[in-house]
Amino acid sequence: MLLHLISRRVSPSFRSQPSKLSALRFSTTVSAAERLYDHLQGCKNNPEKELASAKVKLDASTINEVIKRCSPNQFQLGLRFFIWAGTQSGHRHSPYMYSKACEFLEIRANPDLIKDVVEAYGKEECFVSIKTMRIVLSLCNQAKLADEALWVLRKYPDFGLSADTIAYNLVIRLFADKGDLSMAETLMKEMDCIDLCPDVMTYTSVINGFCNAGKIDEAWNLSKAMSKHGCVLNTVTFSRILEGVCKSGDMERALEFLGEMEKEDGGGFISPNAVTYTLVIQAFCEKKRVQEALMILDRMGDRGCLPNRVTASVLIQGVVEENDEDVMDLSKLIDKLVKLGGVSLSECFSSATVSLIRLKKWEEAEKIFRLMLVQGNRPDGLACSLVLRELCSLERYQDCFFLYEEIEKANVISTIDSDIHSVLLLGLCEHGCSWEATKLAKWMLDKKMRLNVSHVKRIIQALKKTGDEDLMRRLSTI
DNA sequence: TTAGGGTTAG
């Protein structure tokens, strides 16, 4: 009974049927996916027409299931299905679905798939809309295929379509991210020629590309050209340039930029915000110039700009890295951050815990984490996960269990992953902590949490070895 | 269009 209960919760890959869904949901998905897959098989020419007659309500798990079935021998059919599904009214692929499609259909490894499918549309005289092309381009985007995206852009006229700003922006961004700024600029000029006006997103992509390539002057010139084209230079774009300056290592120039942004004559369009200041703070911290980073914090405070979680975490990390012994600086910083507002004491303590663990200052990390719980502050998910994992690696399973209980009372348990649960359960079992193991196993079953496959066999073995009748009895009543 | 640090689900 006990083993049955445990194995019921084993990860899907441990069982024959691949699904993370409930039995009812699974059967619906399979039947819908089966019907769609059968329709796909039924017609090799223009399968989109055939699919339309399937009359199946599309959802993410059904689409996933169909694509999986098309792997590994029917990638082209799977891709056509995915594109067709995305064009159906009432359904829109999430970014997650695009990444799944790229993964299952191995698009990055087989970029020709994209071309083959678009060519097939032409040969079979399929109906191709702007929406169809947008999905194809989004797949290129997900797979980071700039050349293929450009090829798709060139295919628009073949289907009687004109590429729009969204299509151009996507292709331009791919080339800019890839570092091919000359192609990005060519495409931007081309937009002008066909009466498409490059917008803020177009410019920001290319400016970002120049900054990543360390070409700050080119980025700066482009931002001036942007104003001429009627696009207002804004905080985001200006911050991008500032980020490029920071990355180039010229902090004096970065401060000049920041000063320019702070001037009132910009009309407020380019006033620095928390992200802008954080970029500069981060750059100073990375250069171990923490005092100057702290001065930027004062400067943002003076201007009424509130630090956020990222500002806090970057600064806390900087201070923790700088000071081997002195925790006074850390508490002074946390006091200041909380007084300024915008960030809570819990967030600061959580960041400090994370930074201390990463710097292998475990004792201080544990102290600050426990202090947080005692004071009734709620730690964040990452701090909890790192602390529990560390306790497990130190084989302090009982301590870990009691801390887990405390954390659960603070209501952050849902962000702790199943792997930590599995490691803790295994540790408790192997160290004879049957009472704790029982309680943890019960919570895990209640939460429908899956056990890590690599641990389940050992957990079962450990449970067998203890021969603890009481444990068996209690677990079997869950 | 703008970020950071682990996982989960879709």
PDB file of all heavy atoms in Angstrom, chain A residues 96 173 236 240 273 308-309 354 382 415, chain B:
ATOM      1  N   TYR A  96       5.486  30.048 -24.371  1.00  0.00           N
ATOM      2  CA  TYR A  96       5.877  28.699 -23.934  1.00  0.00           C
ATOM      3  C   TYR A  96       5.627  27.678 -25.036  1.00  0.00           C
ATOM      4  O   TYR A  96       6.444  26.801 -25.295  1.00  0.00           O
ATOM      5  CB  TYR A  96       5.065  28.339 -22.681  1.00  0.00           C
ATOM      6  CG  TYR A  96       5.136  26.902 -22.272  1.00  0.00           C
ATOM      7  CD1 TYR A  96       6.228  26.411 -21.573  1.00  0.00           C
ATOM      8  CD2 TYR A  96       4.093  26.023 -22.572  1.00  0.00           C
ATOM      9  CE1 TYR A  96       6.293  25.082 -21.195  1.00  0.00           C
ATOM     10  CE2 TYR A  96       4.157  24.698 -22.191  1.00  0.00           C
ATOM     11  CZ  TYR A  96       5.254  24.229 -21.501  1.00  0.00           C
ATOM     12  OH  TYR A  96       5.304  22.911 -21.123  1.00  0.00           O
ATOM     13  N   ARG A 173      15.256  42.936 -35.295  1.00  0.00           N
ATOM     14  CA  ARG A 173      15.731  42.608 -33.945  1.00  0.00           C
ATOM     15  C   ARG A 173      16.620  41.366 -33.957  1.00  0.00           C
ATOM     16  O   ARG A 173      17.635  41.302 -33.265  1.00  0.00           O
ATOM     17  CB  ARG A 173      14.532  42.411 -33.013  1.00  0.00           C
ATOM     18  CG  ARG A 173      14.980  42.238 -31.600  1.00  0.00           C
ATOM     19  CD  ARG A 173      13.865  42.246 -30.612  1.00  0.00           C
ATOM     20  NE  ARG A 173      14.473  42.175 -29.282  1.00  0.00           N
ATOM     21  CZ  ARG A 173      13.948  42.667 -28.205  1.00  0.00           C
ATOM     22  NH1 ARG A 173      12.807  43.277 -28.252  1.00  0.00           N
ATOM     23  NH2 ARG A 173      14.553  42.549 -27.046  1.00  0.00           N
ATOM     24  N   VAL A 236      13.653  54.640 -21.835  1.00  0.00           N
ATOM     25  CA  VAL A 236      14.080  53.262 -22.116  1.00  0.00           C
ATOM     26  C   VAL A 236      15.250  53.245 -23.097  1.00  0.00           C
ATOM     27  O   VAL A 236      16.280  52.604 -22.868  1.00  0.00           O
ATOM     28  CB  VAL A 236      12.904  52.417 -22.675  1.00  0.00           C
ATOM     29  CG1 VAL A 236      13.365  51.029 -23.070  1.00  0.00           C
ATOM     30  CG2 VAL A 236      11.784  52.341 -21.652  1.00  0.00           C
ATOM     31  N   ARG A 240      19.221  52.313 -22.490  1.00  0.00           N
ATOM     32  CA  ARG A 240      19.927  51.299 -23.279  1.00  0.00           C
ATOM     33  C   ARG A 240      21.330  51.795 -23.637  1.00  0.00           C
ATOM     34  O   ARG A 240      22.310  51.056 -23.557  1.00  0.00           O
ATOM     35  CB  ARG A 240      19.161  51.014 -24.578  1.00  0.00           C
ATOM     36  CG  ARG A 240      17.981  50.129 -24.395  1.00  0.00           C
ATOM     37  CD  ARG A 240      18.478  48.744 -24.140  1.00  0.00           C
ATOM     38  NE  ARG A 240      17.436  47.781 -24.342  1.00  0.00           N
ATOM     39  CZ  ARG A 240      17.557  46.525 -24.013  1.00  0.00           C
ATOM     40  NH1 ARG A 240      18.678  46.091 -23.469  1.00  0.00           N
ATOM     41  NH2 ARG A 240      16.587  45.687 -24.229  1.00  0.00           N
ATOM     42  N   ASN A 273      14.927  56.429 -14.473  1.00  0.00           N
ATOM     43  CA  ASN A 273      14.032  55.734 -13.544  1.00  0.00           C
ATOM     44  C   ASN A 273      14.840  54.699 -12.738  1.00  0.00           C
ATOM     45  O   ASN A 273      16.084  54.676 -12.837  1.00  0.00           O
ATOM     46  CB  ASN A 273      12.864  55.086 -14.298  1.00  0.00           C
ATOM     47  CG  ASN A 273      13.309  54.071 -15.333  1.00  0.00           C
ATOM     48  OD1 ASN A 273      14.439  53.597 -15.282  1.00  0.00           O
ATOM     49  ND2 ASN A 273      12.432  53.735 -16.250  1.00  0.00           N
ATOM     50  N   ASN A 308      14.173  49.539  -6.326  1.00  0.00           N
ATOM     51  CA  ASN A 308      13.287  48.373  -6.370  1.00  0.00           C
ATOM     52  C   ASN A 308      14.047  47.126  -5.917  1.00  0.00           C
ATOM     53  O   ASN A 308      15.188  47.215  -5.450  1.00  0.00           O
ATOM     54  CB  ASN A 308      12.674  48.207  -7.768  1.00  0.00           C
ATOM     55  CG  ASN A 308      13.727  47.967  -8.836  1.00  0.00           C
ATOM     56  OD1 ASN A 308      14.836  47.546  -8.541  1.00  0.00           O
ATOM     57  ND2 ASN A 308      13.375  48.248 -10.073  1.00  0.00           N
ATOM     58  N   ARG A 309      13.435  45.972  -6.082  1.00  0.00           N
ATOM     59  CA  ARG A 309      14.057  44.706  -5.639  1.00  0.00           C
ATOM     60  C   ARG A 309      15.425  44.476  -6.273  1.00  0.00           C
ATOM     61  O   ARG A 309      16.335  43.960  -5.641  1.00  0.00           O
ATOM     62  CB  ARG A 309      13.151  43.537  -6.038  1.00  0.00           C
ATOM     63  CG  ARG A 309      12.037  43.253  -5.070  1.00  0.00           C
ATOM     64  CD  ARG A 309      11.073  42.284  -5.712  1.00  0.00           C
ATOM     65  NE  ARG A 309      11.779  41.089  -6.169  1.00  0.00           N
ATOM     66  CZ  ARG A 309      11.522  39.884  -5.686  1.00  0.00           C
ATOM     67  NH1 ARG A 309      10.609  39.722  -4.767  1.00  0.00           N
ATOM     68  NH2 ARG A 309      12.179  38.833  -6.130  1.00  0.00           N
ATOM     69  N   VAL A 354      20.550  35.179   0.007  1.00  0.00           N
ATOM     70  CA  VAL A 354      21.000  34.621  -1.277  1.00  0.00           C
ATOM     71  C   VAL A 354      22.469  34.981  -1.536  1.00  0.00           C
ATOM     72  O   VAL A 354      23.288  34.119  -1.887  1.00  0.00           O
ATOM     73  CB  VAL A 354      20.096  35.121  -2.432  1.00  0.00           C
ATOM     74  CG1 VAL A 354      20.665  34.746  -3.785  1.00  0.00           C
ATOM     75  CG2 VAL A 354      18.684  34.572  -2.272  1.00  0.00           C
ATOM     76  N   LEU A 382      13.383  32.038  -3.641  1.00  0.00           N
ATOM     77  CA  LEU A 382      14.772  31.656  -3.909  1.00  0.00           C
ATOM     78  C   LEU A 382      15.548  31.475  -2.607  1.00  0.00           C
ATOM     79  O   LEU A 382      16.284  30.494  -2.446  1.00  0.00           O
ATOM     80  CB  LEU A 382      15.459  32.702  -4.785  1.00  0.00           C
ATOM     81  CG  LEU A 382      16.919  32.395  -5.112  1.00  0.00           C
ATOM     82  CD1 LEU A 382      17.041  31.106  -5.910  1.00  0.00           C
ATOM     83  CD2 LEU A 382      17.561  33.540  -5.875  1.00  0.00           C
ATOM     84  N   THR A 415       6.643  27.746  -3.862  1.00  0.00           N
ATOM     85  CA  THR A 415       7.724  28.043  -4.796  1.00  0.00           C
ATOM     86  C   THR A 415       8.941  27.128  -4.578  1.00  0.00           C
ATOM     87  O   THR A 415       9.948  27.277  -5.250  1.00  0.00           O
ATOM     88  CB  THR A 415       8.185  29.509  -4.677  1.00  0.00           C
ATOM     89  OG1 THR A 415       8.519  29.745  -3.322  1.00  0.00           O
ATOM     90  CG2 THR A 415       7.127  30.462  -5.128  1.00  0.00           C
TER      91      THR A 415
ATOM     92  P    DT B   1       6.479  44.855 -26.773  1.00  0.00           P
ATOM     93  OP1  DT B   1       6.427  43.939 -25.723  1.00  0.00           O
ATOM     94  OP2  DT B   1       5.513  45.486 -27.500  1.00  0.00           O
ATOM     95  O5'  DT B   1       7.660  45.901 -26.555  1.00  0.00           O
ATOM     96  C5'  DT B   1       8.742  45.434 -25.829  1.00  0.00           C
ATOM     97  C4'  DT B   1       9.975  46.151 -26.311  1.00  0.00           C
ATOM     98  O4'  DT B   1       9.655  47.518 -26.642  1.00  0.00           O
ATOM     99  C3'  DT B   1      11.006  46.234 -25.193  1.00  0.00           C
ATOM    100  O3'  DT B   1      12.283  45.945 -25.760  1.00  0.00           O
ATOM    101  C2'  DT B   1      10.916  47.644 -24.708  1.00  0.00           C
ATOM    102  C1'  DT B   1      10.555  48.386 -25.983  1.00  0.00           C
ATOM    103  N1   DT B   1       9.861  49.672 -25.671  1.00  0.00           N
ATOM    104  C2   DT B   1      10.623  50.815 -25.583  1.00  0.00           C
ATOM    105  O2   DT B   1      11.837  50.830 -25.755  1.00  0.00           O
ATOM    106  N3   DT B   1       9.913  51.958 -25.300  1.00  0.00           N
ATOM    107  C4   DT B   1       8.555  52.074 -25.084  1.00  0.00           C
ATOM    108  O4   DT B   1       8.045  53.149 -24.832  1.00  0.00           O
ATOM    109  C5   DT B   1       7.833  50.821 -25.178  1.00  0.00           C
ATOM    110  C7   DT B   1       6.358  50.822 -24.966  1.00  0.00           C
ATOM    111  C6   DT B   1       8.487  49.702 -25.457  1.00  0.00           C
ATOM    112  P    DT B   2      13.293  45.226 -24.832  1.00  0.00           P
ATOM    113  OP1  DT B   2      14.629  45.775 -25.053  1.00  0.00           O
ATOM    114  OP2  DT B   2      13.076  43.880 -25.183  1.00  0.00           O
ATOM    115  O5'  DT B   2      12.873  45.470 -23.314  1.00  0.00           O
ATOM    116  C5'  DT B   2      13.410  46.595 -22.625  1.00  0.00           C
ATOM    117  C4'  DT B   2      13.867  46.101 -21.243  1.00  0.00           C
ATOM    118  O4'  DT B   2      14.352  47.204 -20.466  1.00  0.00           O
ATOM    119  C3'  DT B   2      12.705  45.497 -20.425  1.00  0.00           C
ATOM    120  O3'  DT B   2      13.323  44.702 -19.418  1.00  0.00           O
ATOM    121  C2'  DT B   2      12.133  46.769 -19.840  1.00  0.00           C
ATOM    122  C1'  DT B   2      13.452  47.404 -19.381  1.00  0.00           C
ATOM    123  N1   DT B   2      13.489  48.881 -19.083  1.00  0.00           N
ATOM    124  C2   DT B   2      13.079  49.299 -17.833  1.00  0.00           C
ATOM    125  O2   DT B   2      12.681  48.536 -16.983  1.00  0.00           O
ATOM    126  N3   DT B   2      13.165  50.653 -17.637  1.00  0.00           N
ATOM    127  C4   DT B   2      13.609  51.607 -18.509  1.00  0.00           C
ATOM    128  O4   DT B   2      13.641  52.770 -18.216  1.00  0.00           O
ATOM    129  C5   DT B   2      14.038  51.102 -19.791  1.00  0.00           C
ATOM    130  C7   DT B   2      14.560  52.012 -20.840  1.00  0.00           C
ATOM    131  C6   DT B   2      13.958  49.797 -20.008  1.00  0.00           C
ATOM    132  P    DA B   3      13.452  43.197 -19.346  1.00  0.00           P
ATOM    133  OP1  DA B   3      13.420  42.683 -20.717  1.00  0.00           O
ATOM    134  OP2  DA B   3      12.407  42.837 -18.392  1.00  0.00           O
ATOM    135  O5'  DA B   3      14.864  42.826 -18.742  1.00  0.00           O
ATOM    136  C5'  DA B   3      16.033  43.550 -19.155  1.00  0.00           C
ATOM    137  C4'  DA B   3      17.089  43.423 -18.075  1.00  0.00           C
ATOM    138  O4'  DA B   3      16.980  44.497 -17.132  1.00  0.00           O
ATOM    139  C3'  DA B   3      16.999  42.142 -17.276  1.00  0.00           C
ATOM    140  O3'  DA B   3      18.302  41.591 -17.157  1.00  0.00           O
ATOM    141  C2'  DA B   3      16.442  42.549 -15.926  1.00  0.00           C
ATOM    142  C1'  DA B   3      16.795  44.005 -15.817  1.00  0.00           C
ATOM    143  N9   DA B   3      15.717  44.796 -15.220  1.00  0.00           N
ATOM    144  C8   DA B   3      14.412  44.859 -15.601  1.00  0.00           C
ATOM    145  N7   DA B   3      13.678  45.653 -14.855  1.00  0.00           N
ATOM    146  C5   DA B   3      14.576  46.136 -13.920  1.00  0.00           C
ATOM    147  C6   DA B   3      14.439  47.026 -12.840  1.00  0.00           C
ATOM    148  N6   DA B   3      13.277  47.593 -12.511  1.00  0.00           N
ATOM    149  N1   DA B   3      15.530  47.295 -12.113  1.00  0.00           N
ATOM    150  C2   DA B   3      16.683  46.723 -12.456  1.00  0.00           C
ATOM    151  N3   DA B   3      16.951  45.881 -13.438  1.00  0.00           N
ATOM    152  C4   DA B   3      15.838  45.624 -14.135  1.00  0.00           C
ATOM    153  P    DG B   4      18.501  40.144 -16.652  1.00  0.00           P
ATOM    154  OP1  DG B   4      19.853  39.778 -17.041  1.00  0.00           O
ATOM    155  OP2  DG B   4      17.352  39.299 -17.029  1.00  0.00           O
ATOM    156  O5'  DG B   4      18.440  40.327 -15.085  1.00  0.00           O
ATOM    157  C5'  DG B   4      19.530  40.933 -14.399  1.00  0.00           C
ATOM    158  C4'  DG B   4      19.469  40.451 -12.984  1.00  0.00           C
ATOM    159  O4'  DG B   4      18.237  40.904 -12.406  1.00  0.00           O
ATOM    160  C3'  DG B   4      19.432  38.924 -12.930  1.00  0.00           C
ATOM    161  O3'  DG B   4      20.593  38.463 -12.259  1.00  0.00           O
ATOM    162  C2'  DG B   4      18.202  38.568 -12.139  1.00  0.00           C
ATOM    163  C1'  DG B   4      17.724  39.876 -11.589  1.00  0.00           C
ATOM    164  N9   DG B   4      16.286  39.952 -11.652  1.00  0.00           N
ATOM    165  C8   DG B   4      15.471  39.930 -12.761  1.00  0.00           C
ATOM    166  N7   DG B   4      14.206  39.990 -12.470  1.00  0.00           N
ATOM    167  C5   DG B   4      14.186  40.045 -11.084  1.00  0.00           C
ATOM    168  C6   DG B   4      13.117  40.121 -10.175  1.00  0.00           C
ATOM    169  O6   DG B   4      11.919  40.149 -10.440  1.00  0.00           O
ATOM    170  N1   DG B   4      13.546  40.149  -8.870  1.00  0.00           N
ATOM    171  C2   DG B   4      14.861  40.115  -8.457  1.00  0.00           C
ATOM    172  N2   DG B   4      15.116  40.144  -7.166  1.00  0.00           N
ATOM    173  N3   DG B   4      15.885  40.053  -9.287  1.00  0.00           N
ATOM    174  C4   DG B   4      15.469  40.018 -10.577  1.00  0.00           C
ATOM    175  P    DG B   5      21.153  37.084 -12.678  1.00  0.00           P
ATOM    176  OP1  DG B   5      22.560  37.129 -12.342  1.00  0.00           O
ATOM    177  OP2  DG B   5      20.716  36.737 -14.041  1.00  0.00           O
ATOM    178  O5'  DG B   5      20.366  36.108 -11.699  1.00  0.00           O
ATOM    179  C5'  DG B   5      21.063  35.492 -10.627  1.00  0.00           C
ATOM    180  C4'  DG B   5      20.038  34.764  -9.855  1.00  0.00           C
ATOM    181  O4'  DG B   5      19.104  35.677  -9.239  1.00  0.00           O
ATOM    182  C3'  DG B   5      19.145  33.782 -10.635  1.00  0.00           C
ATOM    183  O3'  DG B   5      19.554  32.471 -10.379  1.00  0.00           O
ATOM    184  C2'  DG B   5      17.752  34.081 -10.149  1.00  0.00           C
ATOM    185  C1'  DG B   5      17.985  34.904  -8.915  1.00  0.00           C
ATOM    186  N9   DG B   5      16.912  35.774  -8.499  1.00  0.00           N
ATOM    187  C8   DG B   5      15.873  36.248  -9.251  1.00  0.00           C
ATOM    188  N7   DG B   5      15.031  36.965  -8.582  1.00  0.00           N
ATOM    189  C5   DG B   5      15.532  36.990  -7.293  1.00  0.00           C
ATOM    190  C6   DG B   5      15.051  37.613  -6.114  1.00  0.00           C
ATOM    191  O6   DG B   5      14.047  38.277  -5.977  1.00  0.00           O
ATOM    192  N1   DG B   5      15.883  37.381  -5.036  1.00  0.00           N
ATOM    193  C2   DG B   5      17.034  36.636  -5.071  1.00  0.00           C
ATOM    194  N2   DG B   5      17.714  36.512  -3.939  1.00  0.00           N
ATOM    195  N3   DG B   5      17.502  36.046  -6.159  1.00  0.00           N
ATOM    196  C4   DG B   5      16.707  36.263  -7.229  1.00  0.00           C
ATOM    197  P    DG B   6      19.370  31.334 -11.396  1.00  0.00           P
ATOM    198  OP1  DG B   6      20.722  30.813 -11.527  1.00  0.00           O
ATOM    199  OP2  DG B   6      18.614  31.833 -12.556  1.00  0.00           O
ATOM    200  O5'  DG B   6      18.424  30.262 -10.705  1.00  0.00           O
ATOM    201  C5'  DG B   6      18.981  29.159 -10.013  1.00  0.00           C
ATOM    202  C4'  DG B   6      17.832  28.444  -9.369  1.00  0.00           C
ATOM    203  O4'  DG B   6      17.114  29.388  -8.567  1.00  0.00           O
ATOM    204  C3'  DG B   6      16.811  27.945 -10.387  1.00  0.00           C
ATOM    205  O3'  DG B   6      16.941  26.528 -10.511  1.00  0.00           O
ATOM    206  C2'  DG B   6      15.465  28.245  -9.798  1.00  0.00           C
ATOM    207  C1'  DG B   6      15.764  28.973  -8.528  1.00  0.00           C
ATOM    208  N9   DG B   6      14.926  30.160  -8.507  1.00  0.00           N
ATOM    209  C8   DG B   6      15.135  31.397  -9.075  1.00  0.00           C
ATOM    210  N7   DG B   6      14.144  32.218  -8.895  1.00  0.00           N
ATOM    211  C5   DG B   6      13.223  31.485  -8.171  1.00  0.00           C
ATOM    212  C6   DG B   6      11.939  31.837  -7.671  1.00  0.00           C
ATOM    213  O6   DG B   6      11.356  32.907  -7.793  1.00  0.00           O
ATOM    214  N1   DG B   6      11.343  30.787  -6.984  1.00  0.00           N
ATOM    215  C2   DG B   6      11.911  29.547  -6.797  1.00  0.00           C
ATOM    216  N2   DG B   6      11.198  28.648  -6.126  1.00  0.00           N
ATOM    217  N3   DG B   6      13.100  29.203  -7.250  1.00  0.00           N
ATOM    218  C4   DG B   6      13.693  30.221  -7.921  1.00  0.00           C
ATOM    219  P    DT B   7      16.223  25.896 -11.795  1.00  0.00           P
ATOM    220  OP1  DT B   7      16.943  24.647 -12.046  1.00  0.00           O
ATOM    221  OP2  DT B   7      16.050  26.914 -12.848  1.00  0.00           O
ATOM    222  O5'  DT B   7      14.767  25.554 -11.258  1.00  0.00           O
ATOM    223  C5'  DT B   7      14.605  24.718 -10.117  1.00  0.00           C
ATOM    224  C4'  DT B   7      13.145  24.655  -9.781  1.00  0.00           C
ATOM    225  O4'  DT B   7      12.701  25.961  -9.384  1.00  0.00           O
ATOM    226  C3'  DT B   7      12.280  24.267 -10.976  1.00  0.00           C
ATOM    227  O3'  DT B   7      11.715  22.986 -10.756  1.00  0.00           O
ATOM    228  C2'  DT B   7      11.181  25.314 -11.053  1.00  0.00           C
ATOM    229  C1'  DT B   7      11.364  26.145  -9.796  1.00  0.00           C
ATOM    230  N1   DT B   7      11.148  27.586 -10.110  1.00  0.00           N
ATOM    231  C2   DT B   7      10.005  28.195  -9.648  1.00  0.00           C
ATOM    232  O2   DT B   7       9.166  27.610  -8.990  1.00  0.00           O
ATOM    233  N3   DT B   7       9.881  29.515  -9.991  1.00  0.00           N
ATOM    234  C4   DT B   7      10.759  30.277 -10.731  1.00  0.00           C
ATOM    235  O4   DT B   7      10.532  31.449 -10.962  1.00  0.00           O
ATOM    236  C5   DT B   7      11.941  29.576 -11.187  1.00  0.00           C
ATOM    237  C7   DT B   7      12.971  30.304 -11.995  1.00  0.00           C
ATOM    238  C6   DT B   7      12.084  28.280 -10.859  1.00  0.00           C
ATOM    239  P    DT B   8      11.027  22.232 -11.944  1.00  0.00           P
ATOM    240  OP1  DT B   8      11.121  20.802 -11.615  1.00  0.00           O
ATOM    241  OP2  DT B   8      11.538  22.772 -13.219  1.00  0.00           O
ATOM    242  O5'  DT B   8       9.506  22.675 -11.840  1.00  0.00           O
ATOM    243  C5'  DT B   8       8.762  22.428 -10.658  1.00  0.00           C
ATOM    244  C4'  DT B   8       7.391  23.051 -10.806  1.00  0.00           C
ATOM    245  O4'  DT B   8       7.526  24.480 -10.756  1.00  0.00           O
ATOM    246  C3'  DT B   8       6.748  22.738 -12.157  1.00  0.00           C
ATOM    247  O3'  DT B   8       5.663  21.849 -11.961  1.00  0.00           O
ATOM    248  C2'  DT B   8       6.254  24.066 -12.696  1.00  0.00           C
ATOM    249  C1'  DT B   8       6.557  25.068 -11.590  1.00  0.00           C
ATOM    250  N1   DT B   8       7.134  26.330 -12.123  1.00  0.00           N
ATOM    251  C2   DT B   8       6.462  27.509 -11.900  1.00  0.00           C
ATOM    252  O2   DT B   8       5.407  27.552 -11.296  1.00  0.00           O
ATOM    253  N3   DT B   8       7.073  28.618 -12.410  1.00  0.00           N
ATOM    254  C4   DT B   8       8.255  28.671 -13.118  1.00  0.00           C
ATOM    255  O4   DT B   8       8.693  29.733 -13.524  1.00  0.00           O
ATOM    256  C5   DT B   8       8.915  27.397 -13.318  1.00  0.00           C
ATOM    257  C7   DT B   8      10.205  27.344 -14.067  1.00  0.00           C
ATOM    258  C6   DT B   8       8.332  26.301 -12.821  1.00  0.00           C
ATOM    259  P    DA B   9       5.152  21.010 -13.163  1.00  0.00           P
ATOM    260  OP1  DA B   9       4.512  19.834 -12.576  1.00  0.00           O
ATOM    261  OP2  DA B   9       6.220  20.877 -14.191  1.00  0.00           O
ATOM    262  O5'  DA B   9       4.035  21.963 -13.776  1.00  0.00           O
ATOM    263  C5'  DA B   9       2.931  22.369 -12.977  1.00  0.00           C
ATOM    264  C4'  DA B   9       2.107  23.339 -13.787  1.00  0.00           C
ATOM    265  O4'  DA B   9       2.823  24.595 -13.864  1.00  0.00           O
ATOM    266  C3'  DA B   9       1.905  22.868 -15.233  1.00  0.00           C
ATOM    267  O3'  DA B   9       0.524  22.677 -15.476  1.00  0.00           O
ATOM    268  C2'  DA B   9       2.449  23.976 -16.097  1.00  0.00           C
ATOM    269  C1'  DA B   9       2.684  25.127 -15.159  1.00  0.00           C
ATOM    270  N9   DA B   9       3.919  25.840 -15.447  1.00  0.00           N
ATOM    271  C8   DA B   9       5.153  25.311 -15.713  1.00  0.00           C
ATOM    272  N7   DA B   9       6.084  26.198 -15.945  1.00  0.00           N
ATOM    273  C5   DA B   9       5.407  27.416 -15.827  1.00  0.00           C
ATOM    274  C6   DA B   9       5.815  28.749 -15.966  1.00  0.00           C
ATOM    275  N6   DA B   9       7.078  29.094 -16.260  1.00  0.00           N
ATOM    276  N1   DA B   9       4.892  29.707 -15.793  1.00  0.00           N
ATOM    277  C2   DA B   9       3.639  29.361 -15.489  1.00  0.00           C
ATOM    278  N3   DA B   9       3.136  28.147 -15.331  1.00  0.00           N
ATOM    279  C4   DA B   9       4.078  27.202 -15.520  1.00  0.00           C
ATOM    280  P    DG B  10       0.117  21.915 -16.796  1.00  0.00           P
ATOM    281  OP1  DG B  10      -1.190  21.321 -16.493  1.00  0.00           O
ATOM    282  OP2  DG B  10       1.232  21.071 -17.279  1.00  0.00           O
ATOM    283  O5'  DG B  10      -0.092  23.081 -17.859  1.00  0.00           O
ATOM    284  C5'  DG B  10      -1.105  24.052 -17.668  1.00  0.00           C
ATOM    285  C4'  DG B  10      -0.891  25.141 -18.690  1.00  0.00           C
ATOM    286  O4'  DG B  10       0.397  25.760 -18.457  1.00  0.00           O
ATOM    287  C3'  DG B  10      -0.848  24.633 -20.140  1.00  0.00           C
ATOM    288  O3'  DG B  10      -1.914  25.217 -20.867  1.00  0.00           O
ATOM    289  C2'  DG B  10       0.494  25.078 -20.690  1.00  0.00           C
ATOM    290  C1'  DG B  10       0.924  26.150 -19.710  1.00  0.00           C
ATOM    291  N9   DG B  10       2.366  26.276 -19.567  1.00  0.00           N
ATOM    292  C8   DG B  10       3.291  25.273 -19.438  1.00  0.00           C
ATOM    293  N7   DG B  10       4.516  25.705 -19.342  1.00  0.00           N
ATOM    294  C5   DG B  10       4.398  27.091 -19.413  1.00  0.00           C
ATOM    295  C6   DG B  10       5.379  28.112 -19.371  1.00  0.00           C
ATOM    296  O6   DG B  10       6.597  27.986 -19.262  1.00  0.00           O
ATOM    297  N1   DG B  10       4.812  29.382 -19.475  1.00  0.00           N
ATOM    298  C2   DG B  10       3.486  29.637 -19.609  1.00  0.00           C
ATOM    299  N2   DG B  10       3.132  30.920 -19.697  1.00  0.00           N
ATOM    300  N3   DG B  10       2.552  28.698 -19.649  1.00  0.00           N
ATOM    301  C4   DG B  10       3.079  27.457 -19.550  1.00  0.00           C
TER     302       DG B  10
END
